[in-house]
Amino acid sequence: MQTVRDVMSTDVQYCTLLDNIYEVAVKMREFNVGAIPIVDDGRLVGMITDRDLVVRGMAEKHPGSTAVTEVMSRDLVTLSPDDSLQKAADVMARHQIRRLPVVENGRLVGIVALGDLATNRYSDESAGRALSEISEQHTVH
């Protein structure tokens, strides 16, 4: 059985509590990612998505100098590197999340994205189901 460790990205770009939302946005652009974990002394403390920047940042008229703590999500859904790919797909579908931080002993060790599951031949069906469920919830009417 393959695990999250087998497919997760380990070269994770992150910001710290000392950064502001402008620095998060620049990092997203520079590395072409839609989510940036927020880490404090190696420990995952939050996550900021591109949507967070728009909804909690710009729409609330916060300047780029706003602290990451003002817009980051704190109640995070995470995976362990030893979790199965099936569990990853199930968690993504249940929580309507396309990217999940991977944490070991409280420390950020990677990120697994829905695309990581979709490219794995053992979980194509699970990833397809998760994507379908996530997409249905995010359809604009």
Side-chain angles (χ1 to χ4, degrees):
M1 170 185 70
Q2 285 198 305
T3 64
V4 168
R5 186 183 316 274
D6 297 323
V7 300
M8 71 183 189
S9 299
T10 56
D11 183 22
V12 180
Q13 299 302 315
Y14 63 88
C15 286
T16 72
L17 294 174
L18 300 176
D19 292 316
N20 60 44
I21 62 175
Y22 172 78
E23 292 162 321
V24 171
V26 167
K27 193 162 275 199
M28 283 182 180
R29 181 189 67 201
E30 184 178 339
F31 293 97
N32 193 30
V33 295
I36 296 286
I38 307 301
V39 174
D40 184 28
D41 194 28
R43 296 196 151 321
L44 179 67
V45 295
M47 188 88 137
I48 297 180
T49 65
D50 43 9
R51 186 174 191 282
D52 292 332
L53 288 178
V54 172
V55 174
R56 295 184 194 152
M58 292 174 59
E60 299 281 328
K61 297 185 179 179
H62 288 295
S65 59
T66 300
V68 295
T69 54
E70 296 294 315
V71 300
M72 73 181 193
S73 297
R74 294 173 190 270
D75 297 326
L76 302 178
V77 177
T78 64
L79 291 169
S80 159
D82 298 320
D83 285 334
S84 71
L85 297 185
Q86 181 64 52
K87 179 178 181 180
D90 291 345
V91 169
M92 286 179 184
R94 185 174 345 112
H95 294 281
Q96 303 296 302
I97 300 172
R98 293 173 186 258
R99 304 169 205 91
L100 289 171
V102 182
V103 176
E104 192 167 41
N105 299 319
R107 299 184 92 65
L108 179 68
V109 295
I111 292 231
V112 67
L114 187 58
D116 297 328
L117 301 183
T119 58
N120 182 283
R121 65 187 175 101
Y122 296 109
S123 62
D124 285 345
E125 185 178 315
S126 298
R129 181 180 49 76
L131 178 59
S132 175
E133 291 177 22
I134 292 169
S135 297
E136 287 172 12
Q137 294 294 323
H138 291 275
T139 304
V140 178
H141 298 287

